[in-house]
Amino acid sequence: MARSISRRRFTRGLGRALAVGVASSAFILAGDAEAAIEVAAESRVSMDMARVGDPVRLTMVFKVRGGPVPANIPWPEALADNFTVSNVSRQNRTSRSIFGGPKAAVHSLEVKATITPLRTGTFELPFAIEIEGQRVDSNVPVLEIIGADEVLPGPPPGSVPTERRGPVFPWALVDKDEVYVGEQITYDLQVYEERSFLGIHLRKPPSFTDFFTEELDGRESETRRVDDVEYDVRSAMRRALFPQRAGTLEIGAAELSIAGRQRLLSPVLQVEVKPLPAEGRPAGFSANNVGHYAIEAAVDKSKLAANEPATLKVTIEGEGNIKLVDPGTWPELEGFRRYEPKVSTRVRKGARLGGARSYEFLLIPEHGGELTIPSHEFAYFDPKEGRYEVAKTEPIVLTVAGGEAPEPEPEPEAEPGAEEIADMLLSDELPRHTPRERWLTPTRWAYGMAAVPIVAAAGLGGAALWRRFGPDEQMQARARRRQRHRELIDAAESAVGGGEGFHAALAKLLHELAVDRAGNAGVGLPRPELLRLLNQQGVPAEDVERVRDLLDRCDAARFGAQGDSREDRQALFDEVLDLMRTSRIAKEGS
């Protein structure tokens, strides 16, 4: 009697065979395949505002996967003549990971220094490094310097604990408790520790209902005294919040877990949000345009030939929720064919969130002469001044050589009572149709009938093998997850037209894809920690950024004051499907 083979033995045998094949292939191809180089650059300061003469800690970090780091990091240009630099330290680190990505060393260089401001002003402190012929820019921290005799603004009343709450406790604060709709609030969740505690975990993040949020870099730890007890204070979470409606809005409590046994809650905060004033409001004004902005327009060439393309770049730059800024209706361009713009955003994180949002249009002149690109007006509300402002671009004149459009010849008028006669077709122009050859021949019929019992036997045998060696529990769970993804895709696709539930379905799909890729370690993590875990597991940085951008766009459409169109939803839906097809996010982890 033939000995039966268990499913476990069959699976182990198949796994050994596959492992041998993969290992052999990897050994053969090791000399030809190289891991793609990934880089990250970060610059941060220990405070957002200081006085002339006060020391500030500057930290610059540069990381490279699959390549060496440079010997040094160049200093930010703003340091020259504006700061003295002292206490410089440099540290190199190397780590190696073979899980979740290519087997490649991660090299990092960290430079720390004390910078002392010499004069007042607002200074941007990024750095840039050239690696393999490409420029890599860091983020742009902003440091505001005030006079030596001026008083640094303190936190709002009640934002600092006045009594001891135990050896460790969370504390939450905001920099403002009264703002306009769309004006930034900075939320900071801090952890006070008498001594270093192990196992502190953010079990439940605070709720930011009716706010659009943007993650900010945490502050460096510092020492504070509460009830004559010294605490080490570190920032567990910093967010820029933009209220989306007027009224008394609540920021929920965050919950910390201490070694899995003790749970502590941070204070619940309330913010009074004022509506934007009706007086002076421009027609069609977007509530996302709150802050302080400037706008400029430029072309890559001012002299060109007819039908020669040119690029018009319009840039809005300043402080505010730059990701959701609404440029308004673009003016009509007479004499040009204009195509949809390519939009790019550079976010600047400092005391205030800001940056630049650029729109690049492809323009094609339709005839020669001097063609004018008219001025574009951009309206925004300045919360500091409490009034609406309008920024304008300058008109641009392009000189187009040749290609004057001729006057079209008038059609001859038909005589009264005349009948139109169709053009005569010559014999060579008459359409002809050649009948196709019959596909089903007697020979093919005979072969088909002979193959019927063979196909039936193969199907019955395959079904028996499937029942015996069919999918195990892991494969069934994977199939259930794929079915769930399919249901979310179908729900989003059916909601493209109306929009109801569209962005919620897409956001849930993206989050589940990220959790499935991260494995068990990603279950229950908030979004920032989940995306950070994907980076640590070796998921390519560009894939993680695509997920972050798509989730942010879903949040912007769900909670933002500016609506979107069917075309916008269809484009977002197509981008999510492309992410599932082309990225490593859709590949589940172990």
Side-chain angles (χ1 to χ4, degrees):
M1 179 182 296
R3 184 174 57 179
S4 63
I5 303 175
S6 67
R7 179 186 299 174
R8 180 175 297 179
R9 292 184 59 193
F10 173 83
T11 306
R12 286 179 178 174
L14 180 61
R16 292 192 191 101
L18 289 175
V20 172
V22 170
S24 302
S25 301
F27 178 79
I28 294 171
L29 298 176
D32 298 329
E34 293 185 359
I37 292 181
E38 300 175 11
V39 298
E42 181 186 7
S43 177
R44 56 181 182 266
V45 288
S46 57
M47 59 189 70
D48 301 323
M49 181 180 291
R51 293 172 297 192
V52 172
D54 289 346
V56 179
R57 197 65 177 163
L58 170 67
T59 303
M60 302 183 295
V61 182
F62 191 78
K63 296 181 180 181
V64 179
R65 177 192 293 273
V69 295
N72 205 351
I73 297 178
W75 297 108
E77 295 179 359
L79 293 183
D81 301 326
N82 297 313
F83 295 82
T84 59
V85 181
S86 60
N87 301 326
V88 180
S89 64
R90 294 176 175 83
Q91 186 172 17
N92 290 85
R93 294 189 181 94
T94 300
S95 60
R96 183 177 295 273
S97 174
I98 61 174
F99 300 104
K103 182 178 179 180
V106 178
H107 303 282
S108 64
L109 172 62
E110 181 180 84
V111 177
K112 291 186 176 182
T114 299
I115 57 174
T116 305
L118 303 175
R119 54 183 54 85
T120 61
T122 301
F123 303 97
E124 296 184 349
L125 300 174
F127 66 88
I129 288 182
E130 193 85 13
I131 180 169
E132 293 197 348
Q134 293 187 354
R135 176 186 170 100
V136 179
D137 293 288
S138 75
N139 61 311
V140 187
V142 180
L143 178 59
E144 184 177 351
I145 304 301
I146 60 177
D149 299 331
E150 296 185 49
V151 178
L152 290 172
S159 61
V160 177
T162 56
E163 59 183 15
R164 182 177 179 273
R165 294 171 172 252
V168 57
F169 64 91
W171 190 254
L173 65 150
V174 291
D175 63 336
K176 300 176 183 178
D177 54 11
E178 183 175 311
V179 293
Y180 286 99
V181 170
E183 183 182 356
Q184 178 183 332
I185 308 162
T186 302
Y187 171 87
D188 194 358
L189 176 63
Q190 300 174 344
V191 178
Y192 282 68
E193 298 176 87
E194 283 187 24
R195 60 183 186 277
S196 180
F197 282 80
L198 298 177
I200 298 180
H201 174 65
L202 181 61
R203 185 176 182 274
K204 180 183 176 183
S207 59
F208 300 117
T209 306
D210 296 318
F211 291 94
F212 179 85
T213 71
E214 181 72 28
E215 186 175 5
L216 299 176
D217 297 329
R219 296 176 180 271
E220 292 190 359
S221 61
E222 56 181 302
T223 301
R224 290 182 189 168
R225 183 174 291 275
V226 179
D227 272 354
D228 293 330
V229 177
E230 282 195 351
Y231 283 89
D232 181 52
V233 183
R234 58 185 175 88
S235 180
M237 173 189 290
R238 288 185 75 227
R239 292 284 181 89
L241 309 181
F242 298 89
Q244 299 299 294
R245 68 172 181 88
T248 302
L249 304 187
E250 186 174 276
I251 301 174
E255 182 178 336
L256 292 185
S257 172
I258 311 297
R261 297 187 299 271
Q262 186 179 6
R263 295 180 181 178
L264 302 173
L265 295 177
S266 69
V268 176
L269 305 178
Q270 289 186 337
V271 180
E272 292 295 328
V273 182
K274 300 178 291 184
L276 297 178
E279 182 181 357
R281 179 185 298 183
F285 181 78
S286 170
N288 290 320
N289 296 356
V290 177
H292 185 77
Y293 295 99
I295 186 172
E296 64 176 12
V299 292
D300 61 342
K301 61 187 77 170
S302 59
K303 296 182 179 180
L304 64 163
N307 294 319
E308 179 184 352
T311 300
L312 167 66
K313 185 176 182 179
V314 182
T315 302
I316 300 172
E317 186 169 7
E319 293 180 356
N321 193 357
I322 193 67
K323 284 186 176 182
L324 297 186
V325 73
D326 181 4
T329 303
W330 300 108
E332 295 294 329
L333 301 182
E334 295 184 3
F336 292 98
R337 294 199 305 273
R338 177 176 63 191
Y339 297 87
E340 286 300 312
K342 173 187 175 184
V343 183
S344 59
T345 305
R346 178 175 62 88
V347 178
R348 183 178 63 235
K349 298 180 179 181
R352 315 301 300 166
L353 194 72
R357 189 167 175 85
S358 299
Y359 305 82
E360 293 188 21
F361 297 88
L362 178 65
L363 306 180
I364 298 181
E366 296 178 322
H367 58 80
E370 287 194 348
L371 303 181
T372 300
I373 300 174
S375 172
H376 176 61
E377 295 186 353
F378 169 72
Y380 64 92
F381 178 78
D382 190 335
K384 292 182 180 178
E385 302 296 333
R387 65 171 181 260
Y388 295 94
E389 304 283 356
V390 176
K392 299 181 180 179
T393 64
E394 294 294 330
I396 301 175
V397 178
L398 300 184
T399 303
V400 183
E404 286 76 12
E407 292 287 337
E409 296 184 3
E411 294 284 342
E413 296 184 2
E415 297 181 4
E419 295 183 2
E420 294 186 1
I421 302 176
D423 294 336
M424 182 179 296
L425 293 178
L426 300 178
S427 60
D428 293 339
E429 298 175 345
L430 291 174
R432 286 178 168 80
H433 174 71
T434 302
R436 294 187 303 172
E437 181 183 356
R438 292 175 55 191
W439 178 83
L440 186 59
T441 63
T443 303
R444 288 175 176 168
W445 172 263
Y447 280 127
M449 294 303 294
V452 168
I454 299 175
V455 173
L460 292 174
L465 290 174
W466 179 261
R467 287 192 298 270
R468 186 175 188 85
F469 305 109
D472 55 12
E473 293 180 2
Q474 186 177 7
M475 293 177 64
Q476 291 173 357
R478 193 170 299 163
R480 287 193 296 269
R481 286 193 291 269
R482 290 199 185 103
Q483 177 63 25
R484 174 62 179 159
H485 297 166
R486 183 70 258 172
E487 291 173 356
L488 290 171
I489 291 172
D490 292 341
E493 186 174 19
S494 62
V496 168
E500 183 68 24
F502 171 78
H503 298 96
L506 276 191
K508 188 169 184 61
L509 172 63
L510 290 166
H511 185 80
E512 289 188 8
L513 287 172
V515 172
D516 293 344
R517 178 61 181 85
N520 293 333
V523 177
L525 288 182
R527 182 187 302 175
E529 284 75 13
L530 177 59
L531 296 179
R532 193 174 298 117
L533 176 62
L534 292 177
N535 274 321
Q536 294 171 356
Q537 291 181 341
V539 176
E542 58 269 19
D543 290 345
V544 177
E545 286 304 313
R546 287 174 69 186
V547 174
R548 189 194 307 275
D549 177 67
L550 290 169
L551 284 168
D552 287 344
R553 288 163 61 186
C554 287
D555 289 348
R558 293 170 66 190
F559 309 121
Q562 187 72 15
D564 62 345
S565 63
R566 177 190 175 92
E567 290 74 19
D568 295 331
R569 291 190 291 272
Q570 185 64 52
L572 182 61
F573 181 75
D574 293 339
E575 288 188 42
V576 172
L577 293 184
D578 181 69
L579 174 83
M580 296 181 66
R581 288 192 300 267
T582 61
S583 75
R584 289 180 56 185
I585 293 293
K587 179 182 178 183
E588 298 180 0
S590 57

